[in-house]
């Protein structure tokens, strides 16, 4: 049995790199392998925990960067579109939006497992240094790594009755998944139609060979 899985691995690259399978590294680490495939491989153990009366959770550590975009077509998101210039920050945003959609869709299974997306806030970590260098001052004040991890640690231990399955969290509270409208209302720019989400989930499965 497994009680909780936290999918936090990933990178933000300024230059395009591919995995040995041919996938762009940011999408592969955050989403394709690091979230979707890992969850699917561990599903039997998570379901076993649910069957024994426990409260299993899967938490996808996303980012406020996902608020900048919806999920584009698969070829754009994975940087396989013809003549597409590589933008590491944009690719990161796509991957993070993908994690939010993944939590939403898996939560619909109603199999006793709670699926959540969680934003740690902008924390002063080596990964931020590598990705942004001196430009990280644009995100100040940055949190300490512990401050970023605290809300996620709380989600790991919070009872199921206090959580909203499929929701997006920051600092122990649910947050809007869209703020692209006037005065930070939801708007429509960052939303996807269900048909687009279904196509996204199908492509994730295909990319993992399952």
């Amino acid at each position: 049995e497994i009680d909780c899985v936290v999918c936090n691995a990933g990178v933000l690259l300024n230059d395009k790199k591919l995995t040995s399978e041919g996938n762009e590294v940011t999408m592969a680490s955050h989403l394709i392998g690091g979230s979707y495939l890992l969850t699917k491989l561990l599903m039997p153990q998570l379901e076993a925990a649910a069957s024994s009366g426990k409260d299993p959770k899967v938490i996808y550590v996303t980012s406020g960067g996902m608020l900048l975009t919806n999920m584009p077509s698969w070829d754009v998101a994975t940087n396989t579109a013809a003549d597409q210039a590589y933008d590491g920050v944009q690719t990161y945003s796509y991957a993070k939006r993908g994690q939010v959609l993944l939590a939403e869709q898996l939560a619909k299974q109603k199999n006793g497992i709670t699926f959540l997306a969680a934003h740690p806030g902008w924390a002063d970590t080596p990964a931020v240094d590598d990705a942004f260098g001196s430009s990280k001052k644009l995100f100040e004040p940055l949190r300490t790594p512990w401050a970023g991890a605290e809300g996620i640690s709380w989600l790991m231990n919070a009872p199921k009755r206090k959580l909203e399955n499929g929701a997006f969290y920051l600092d122990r509270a649910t947050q809007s998944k869209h703020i692209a409208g006037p005065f930070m209302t939801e708007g429509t720019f960052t939303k996807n139609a269900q048909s687009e989400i279904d196509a996204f989930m199908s492509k994730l499965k295909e990319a993992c060979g399952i």
Side-chain angles (χ1 to χ4, degrees), residues 162-184:
K162 290 189 175 182
L163 301 174
E164 180 184 339
N165 202 359
F168 169 53
Y169 279 82
L170 169 65
D171 294 338
R172 304 190 182 194
T174 57
Q175 306 291 325
S176 175
K177 299 172 184 177
H178 308 277
I179 56 171
F183 306 105
M184 299 183 74

Side-chain angles (χ1 to χ4, degrees), residues 17 32-33 38 43 61 70 92 105 110-111 120 130 138 148-149 159 161 185 197 206 210:
K17 295 183 180 180
I32 298 172
L38 181 61
M43 197 66 78
V61 181
N70 65 357
Y92 176 85
Q105 297 307 298
K110 300 187 185 303
N111 55 4
D130 290 344
L138 298 174
R161 68 180 183 277
T185 55
I197 297 171
E206 181 183 324
I210 57 176

Side-chain angles (χ1 to χ4, degrees), residues 2-171:
I2 291 179
D3 296 330
C4 187
V5 177
V6 179
C7 299
N8 186 46
V11 295
L12 194 167
L13 301 176
N14 293 312
D15 298 305
K16 183 176 179 179
K17 295 183 180 180
L18 302 179
T19 66
S20 58
E21 297 85 3
N23 295 310
E24 190 278 325
V25 169
T26 298
M27 288 294 292
S29 59
H30 288 281
L31 182 61
I32 298 172
S35 291
Y36 181 84
L37 180 59
L38 181 61
T39 300
K40 288 295 184 180
L41 292 174
L42 295 178
M43 197 66 78
Q45 290 86 351
L46 290 161
E47 290 176 341
S51 296
S52 65
K54 295 183 179 178
D55 192 10
K57 304 180 187 75
V58 179
I59 302 169
Y60 301 119
V61 181
T62 185
S63 167
M66 67 90 186
L67 293 166
L68 301 173
T69 184
N70 65 357
M71 194 67 191
S73 63
W74 185 257
D75 59 342
V76 172
T78 56
N79 283 270
T80 54
D83 301 321
Q84 181 181 358
Y86 183 73
D87 184 331
V89 173
Q90 187 69 69
T91 300
Y92 176 85
S93 296
Y94 293 153
K96 292 307 185 183
R97 173 58 70 182
Q99 289 179 308
V100 172
L101 293 176
L102 181 60
E104 283 181 358
Q105 297 307 298
L106 295 181
K108 295 179 180 179
Q109 296 178 151
K110 300 187 185 303
N111 55 4
I113 304 168
T114 301
F115 295 92
L116 307 169
H119 178 27
W122 288 101
D124 193 2
T125 65
V128 171
D129 284 335
D130 290 344
F132 296 103
S134 61
S135 296
K136 75 176 186 179
K137 64 185 179 182
L138 298 174
F139 302 108
E140 292 178 351
L142 292 167
R143 300 178 169 202
T144 65
W146 164 245
E150 192 279 335
I152 296 165
S153 298
W154 180 82
L155 291 173
M156 293 171 65
N157 294 282
K160 183 177 182 178
R161 68 180 183 277
K162 290 189 175 182
L163 301 174
E164 180 184 339
N165 202 359
F168 169 53
Y169 279 82
L170 169 65
D171 294 338

